[in-house]
Amino acid sequence: MFCFQCEQTAKCVGCTNEMGVCGKKADTAELQDKLTGALIGLAKTMEGNEDQAGDSTAAVVVEALFATLTNVNFDNDALLAMMGRVDAEKQKLAPESGEDNDYDMDKLWNADEDIRSLKSLILFGIRGVAAYAYHAAVLGYTDEAIHNFLYKALRAVGTDDWGMDELLPIVLEVGEVNLACMALLDKANTETFGHPEPTEVSQTVEKGPFVVISGHDLHDLKLLLEQTEGKGVNVYTHGEMLPAHAYPELKKHSHLKGNFGTAWQNQQKEFADLPAPVLFTTNCLMTPKESYADRVFTTDAVGYPGLQHIGSDKDFSPVIEKALELGGFDDDTTLSGINSGDAVTTGFARNTVMSVAETVIDAVKAGAIKHFFLVGGCDGSRPGRNYYTEFVEQTPKDTVVLTLACGKYRFNDLDLGTIGGLPRLMDVGQCNDAYSAIQIALALADAFDCGVNDLPLSMVLSWYEQKAVCILLTLLHLGITGIRLGPTLPAFISPNVLNFLVEKYHIAPITTPEEDLKAILG
């Protein structure tokens, strides 16, 4: 196998053995490559005739790209079934097409390193875009322009005679389209569930039956809450589902009680003795240990061999029955955050922050707020991620820290106090809520009549998987410079492409909290 799409790839070079660092086996990696090659073949059949592609074509492209994102689908049977759906779409659009039209991914992995780097940025970026498009689509929100770009980007990956001049504009276009996709998902979430409100979330699990739901899909959470209503089963979020507590239409369910556990990479330890089922709705599934595999359920594009999968009918009865069977804890149980906090606060999305924009602006003008930091992104288990905890702990008391995505679990239970009546640490939400953070930054820039790069704002980001890639490309599309990225730089970025990013956008690797704070604040 060969795979280097995630931050923890072996030796910061690539996973090449019989199993990847994520737990993906070589035969699964090969199937994911074949699925990607089939998607490229499908996109080629549509070139110049995208208007012939219907909803079913868009749906299978989005779901298949999502399924190849890190820690989503480890199930070979599910991947084969998805390949069958891709082939059916090809036959419908071009009956004479076949497997000969599919792209051989070995051509990509063995290409010139700069070409491989740019194509990888495109491919991994659109996998992240597809994940956001999927979540918007289940709420009934789609955009044909986003779908057409996915087809265009797939064709670019499968074009062997293009150089840097042709590929680089598409890399940046991934960022532009991802901004539109995050805006679409933001609209879907807020029009369906209301605008997030600052909400304190308990990390204590009450005694009795409960379900833990992990991932990002708010629609699945809504359905689970509706199906558990009145059944004596409480619901607790995990990982990136934590921000769901801030949405009015979700938190009105009294049995949505709190949050269980910390970031995704700790699940094998935290789920080991859990007397409750866990439902995975998106990426971040790790290989379940035998001791708790019978308590793990998957849905949507998520899959793992041997686990019970909840199909498109979304009947969560097996999950609820398992919760009642296991019975939950005998007493109220608290699993604190990594800094021993027993509650966390979320819900500081754009609507909330903009509602107090005058207070923020006045605090900046008065000198009460000297600097803003956006410290967020993906978490992971590679050594060095304690940097983010230490960085936030060392930020001066006259600064504000915005955070989002699961990287916040390194420090979101810290009490940093308040500034100008506002908390110094504000959780904006999920990774896709980078859109909210961007809107906040643009609003501040407009208020001060300057560019975003002229604001007293610094971005210190962590990355792990492909949604972080497309968000980074969005920031570059917006011309934002001076981003610090860690804990390591992507293995798929070649020296020449890295030099381009450094020269044009001043991207820099993180060093130490002390050195980076000194460089930022002077």
Side-chain angles (χ1 to χ4, degrees):
M1 68 179 290
F2 177 77
C3 183
F4 63 171
Q5 68 177 6
C6 84
E7 190 271 333
Q8 291 180 185
T9 195
K11 300 178 181 179
C12 295
V13 175
C15 294
T16 57
N17 294 320
E18 289 302 307
M19 182 180 291
V21 172
C22 69
K24 179 171 61 179
K25 295 181 180 178
D27 57 346
T28 304
E30 182 180 1
L31 280 176
Q32 290 188 354
D33 273 357
K34 287 183 177 180
L35 176 58
T36 303
L39 287 172
I40 292 171
L42 174 59
K44 287 180 176 179
T45 66
M46 291 186 288
E47 188 166 12
N49 297 296
E50 281 84 353
D51 57 338
Q52 296 180 13
D55 293 342
S56 63
T57 306
V60 74
V61 169
V62 166
E63 185 175 350
L65 282 170
F66 183 16
T68 57
L69 192 144
T70 301
N71 290 88
V72 174
N73 203 313
F74 301 81
D75 190 337
N76 289 356
D77 290 340
L79 294 171
L80 286 168
M82 204 166 291
M83 288 176 64
R85 291 170 58 195
V86 173
D87 289 339
E89 290 298 322
K90 280 194 296 183
Q91 290 299 309
K92 187 167 63 177
L93 295 170
E96 73 284 357
S97 66
E99 289 188 7
D100 291 342
N101 197 38
D102 294 350
Y103 185 71
D104 181 359
M105 293 295 286
D106 284 341
K107 291 182 180 180
L108 171 56
W109 309 138
N110 295 309
D112 167 83
E113 67 172 352
D114 292 332
I115 300 303
R116 183 177 75 165
S117 183
L118 292 173
K119 285 188 174 184
S120 294
L121 275 167
I122 294 169
L123 176 60
F124 302 159
I126 62 173
R127 285 175 175 171
V129 175
Y132 296 143
Y134 184 96
H135 298 315
V138 298
L139 293 173
Y141 292 71
T142 60
D143 185 339
E144 187 177 355
I146 294 172
H147 299 151
N148 288 339
F149 175 73
L150 295 178
Y151 310 147
K152 172 184 174 181
L154 284 165
R155 287 194 292 269
V157 174
T159 302
D160 293 324
D161 59 353
W162 279 12
M164 294 185 71
D165 290 343
E166 292 86 2
L167 293 170
L168 188 57
I170 297 180
V171 170
L172 297 178
E173 194 175 354
V174 173
E176 179 181 10
V177 172
N178 185 59
L179 180 62
C181 194
M182 288 195 298
L184 179 69
L185 180 54
D186 178 88
K187 181 179 181 182
N189 286 338
T190 56
E191 291 188 353
T192 304
F193 305 114
H195 282 280
E197 306 164 342
T199 304
E200 184 175 85
V201 183
S202 171
Q203 299 203 94
T204 297
V205 178
E206 297 179 11
K207 66 179 181 179
F210 67 97
V211 175
V212 172
I213 182 168
S214 187
H216 306 70
D217 201 297
L218 301 181
H219 182 61
D220 284 333
L221 173 59
K222 172 181 176 288
L223 295 177
L224 179 64
L225 288 168
E226 290 174 348
Q227 293 180 37
T228 49
E229 193 78 50
K231 294 186 177 178
V233 175
N234 290 328
V235 176
Y236 293 83
T237 56
H238 172 265
E240 281 272 63
M241 198 65 83
L242 165 65
H245 290 272
Y247 287 91
E249 288 302 306
L250 294 173
K251 69 178 185 177
K252 72 179 183 182
H253 293 274
S254 61
H255 62 299
L256 177 60
K257 290 291 187 177
N259 189 69
F260 175 86
T262 52
W264 68 273
Q265 75 276 1
N266 300 320
Q267 65 189 256
Q268 290 178 327
K269 176 182 177 182
E270 293 176 350
F271 294 166
D273 300 311
L274 188 66
V278 182
L279 174 64
F280 277 90
T281 67
T282 60
N283 55 302
C284 301
L285 171 67
M286 295 178 71
T287 301
K289 291 187 175 181
E290 187 176 345
S291 61
Y292 68 85
D294 65 328
R295 307 196 298 270
V296 179
F297 295 79
T298 62
T299 191
D300 296 329
V302 190
Y304 196 93
L307 300 186
Q308 188 164 343
H309 186 77
I310 306 298
S312 58
D313 63 352
K314 295 297 181 182
D315 180 1
F316 293 126
S317 296
V319 184
I320 298 168
E321 290 167 4
K322 179 63 74 171
L324 292 169
E325 173 194 332
L326 293 170
F329 292 115
D330 294 331
D331 300 292
D332 292 357
T333 302
T334 301
L335 181 63
S336 300
I338 67 169
N339 302 294
S340 300
D342 57 9
V344 292
T345 301
T346 189
F348 290 94
R350 60 184 175 87
N351 202 54
T352 292
V353 177
M354 289 179 182
S355 70
V356 294
E358 288 188 11
T359 301
V360 174
I361 292 166
D362 289 345
V364 173
K365 289 180 177 179
I369 297 178
K370 295 289 180 61
H371 207 88
F372 296 87
F373 296 97
L374 175 59
V375 186
C378 309
D379 205 355
S381 58
R382 190 188 294 278
R385 287 182 179 267
N386 58 316
Y387 164 95
Y388 296 94
T389 309
E390 295 170 6
F391 185 96
V392 169
E393 286 177 324
Q394 294 178 35
T395 54
K397 293 183 179 181
D398 56 2
T399 63
V400 170
V401 178
L402 300 174
T403 189
L404 50 80
C406 61
K408 63 175 169 274
Y409 279 101
R410 293 278 168 172
F411 49 80
N412 68 333
D413 60 330
L414 290 172
D415 182 3
L416 298 186
T418 60
I419 183 170
L422 299 169
R424 281 192 54 227
L425 176 59
M426 291 186 271
D427 176 13
V428 178
Q430 294 181 340
C431 54
N432 51 282
D433 290 314
Y435 177 77
S436 268
I438 289 169
Q439 296 307 306
I440 292 168
L442 293 175
L444 286 173
D446 183 62
F448 288 105
D449 193 24
C450 66
V452 173
N453 291 319
D454 299 316
L455 288 171
L457 168 68
S458 300
M459 298 189 181
V460 184
L461 307 180
S462 55
W463 82 282
Y464 173 75
E465 41 87 348
Q466 295 76 66
K467 285 182 285 185
V469 174
C470 64
I471 290 172
L472 177 63
L473 294 179
T474 293
L475 296 175
L476 300 186
H477 157 71
L478 292 169
I480 294 173
T481 61
I483 298 169
R484 283 172 166 77
L485 185 65
T488 64
L489 295 179
F492 51 83
I493 300 293
S494 68
N496 286 335
V497 172
L498 178 60
N499 287 340
F500 168 81
L501 296 177
V502 170
E503 290 175 7
K504 185 173 177 63
Y505 299 103
H506 309 297
I507 286 181
I510 59 172
T511 58
T512 67
E514 295 80 7
E515 291 176 2
D516 288 344
L517 280 167
K518 182 178 179 181
I520 291 169
L521 300 175

